[in-house]
Amino acid sequence: GAINVLIDENAICIKKDDYVFNTRTIIADFPNWKFIINGMTTDKTATVLKSDLSKLMKRMLIFARDNATAKNGITFDIKDNKINVKAIADKGKAKDKIECIQSGENIKISLNAQFIQDYLNSTNKDTINISFRTAQTPVIIKPDTNTNESMYMMMPLAMAE
């Protein structure tokens, strides 16, 4: 069948057979992301194999999906060249760790495991840098290369102990 597309100044509607997709346009100024990124500084980095981190995120998401206080929230404790990860949910908790190359001081931070997995699914690089400043400031995830081909910035979650 035909695909019908209806567009007005605030919305788009796409219809095909029994399926309807509606979306609204956002009328707002997009944040000045170049200013935000150029002003960021990090002094701690964990360099990790993408395959190890992806497998870890998939295991942790089994529990983190049901975290009542922070959906998909997991705690990273980076020290002694290891990323120690903990996920807690009503049905139990999980702890695991992977090796990393750590530079800078130790850091404990809570992050959204699904957001990390989304980035990992989007890159074909084998080695990933996760860079931090504090547990309350944005985290930068990008390939361990000298190029600026991709970068993912995410805010940490409030840490629950």
Side-chain angles (χ1 to χ4, degrees):
I3 297 174
N4 295 311
V5 179
L6 306 167
I7 301 173
D8 71 19
E9 63 185 59
N10 295 323
I12 299 172
C13 178
I14 302 170
K15 295 180 181 180
K16 177 167 176 29
D17 301 328
D18 292 334
Y19 298 98
V20 178
F21 174 78
N22 290 303
T23 185
R24 283 188 30 197
T25 56
I26 297 173
I27 301 171
D29 292 331
F30 196 77
N32 184 346
W33 59 272
K34 287 182 182 179
F35 175 79
I36 294 168
I37 291 173
N38 290 335
M40 286 187 57
T41 59
T42 59
D43 58 2
K44 300 165 200 48
T45 301
T47 302
V48 64
L49 292 174
K50 173 191 166 185
S51 60
D52 290 349
L53 186 58
S54 182
K55 289 175 191 172
L56 180 65
M57 292 301 98
K58 288 176 183 175
R59 289 191 301 269
M60 291 297 111
L61 276 165
I62 293 168
F63 289 90
R65 280 188 185 104
D66 296 326
N67 185 329
T69 57
K71 185 171 173 65
N72 300 324
I74 60 174
T75 302
F76 280 70
D77 190 3
I78 301 170
K79 61 182 176 185
D80 302 325
N81 289 312
K82 290 184 178 48
I83 299 177
N84 301 284
V85 179
K86 181 170 55 172
I88 300 173
D90 290 341
K91 63 184 170 188
K93 62 182 175 179
K95 291 182 182 181
D96 207 342
K97 63 185 171 194
I98 58 172
E99 301 286 325
C100 71
I101 299 170
Q102 178 184 349
S103 64
E105 298 176 6
N106 298 343
I107 186 168
K108 190 172 188 179
I109 188 168
S110 187
L111 298 169
N112 185 310
Q114 186 60 58
F115 291 170
I116 295 169
Q117 189 61 46
D118 290 346
Y119 173 76
L120 297 173
N121 291 340
S122 74
T123 184
N124 61 359
K125 301 301 179 187
D126 295 330
T127 310
I128 304 298
N129 284 337
I130 308 171
S131 300
F132 315 86
R133 189 174 76 216
T134 72
Q136 295 82 34
T137 55
V139 174
I140 298 290
I141 305 174
K142 63 182 184 176
D144 182 33
T145 61
N146 290 331
T147 65
N148 287 326
E149 64 191 64
S150 70
M151 177 190 314
Y152 194 80
M153 181 174 71
M154 63 188 295
M155 291 300 296
L157 304 172
M159 202 163 345
E161 285 300 321

